[in-house]
Amino acid sequence: MTKPLQIFMEYKVDQTKIEEYEGAMKEIISTLPDYEAKNIQWYVAEDQPHLYVEMYEVPTTSHYQVLKKLRRSKEHPVFSAIVPYINGGVEKIHCWAFQRKE
């Protein structure tokens, strides 16, 4: 049985677009489970202005690869909604997958 992967996504949001970004994130968070994401968490940094982090688990590396591509897409009808609010656009949406160590 494979262990789920922990996904981290990190990016900075334009300070003048926080409200629009946070509104768009509500739909993204409700859409992520359609891609088998679980344990979805969303944070804003306390010590770095406008830095946001998303964490969630996916069952396989394939799920991660698909979600990474879709989340960094300008075409996806839901996920692309935050792109205009990210400092530097999709190029600055950083994604990593981690395997839990026992």
Side-chain angles (χ1 to χ4, degrees), residues 68-79:
K68 180 178 179 178
K69 184 175 182 183
L70 291 174
R71 291 301 306 275
R72 299 183 82 221
S73 160
K74 296 177 186 166
E75 283 80 43
H76 190 279
V78 175
F79 297 145

Side-chain angles (χ1 to χ4, degrees), residues 18-77:
I18 299 292
E19 202 171 308
E20 296 94 326
Y21 158 77
E22 290 188 351
M25 274 302 294
K26 289 177 173 59
E27 188 174 5
I28 287 173
I29 288 169
S30 69
T31 301
L32 281 169
D34 296 347
Y35 295 87
E36 297 189 54
K38 295 184 176 8
N39 301 324
I40 300 162
Q41 299 171 66
W42 179 38
Y43 298 94
V44 61
E46 191 66 26
D47 60 349
Q48 292 188 59
H50 323 297
L51 180 75
Y52 285 81
V53 172
E54 300 173 42
M55 295 188 297
Y56 48 89
E57 292 178 354
V58 295
T60 68
T61 301
S62 297
H63 285 79
Y64 165 64
Q65 295 296 343
V66 167
L67 262 175
K68 180 178 179 178
K69 184 175 182 183
L70 291 174
R71 291 301 306 275
R72 299 183 82 221
S73 160
K74 296 177 186 166
E75 283 80 43
H76 190 279

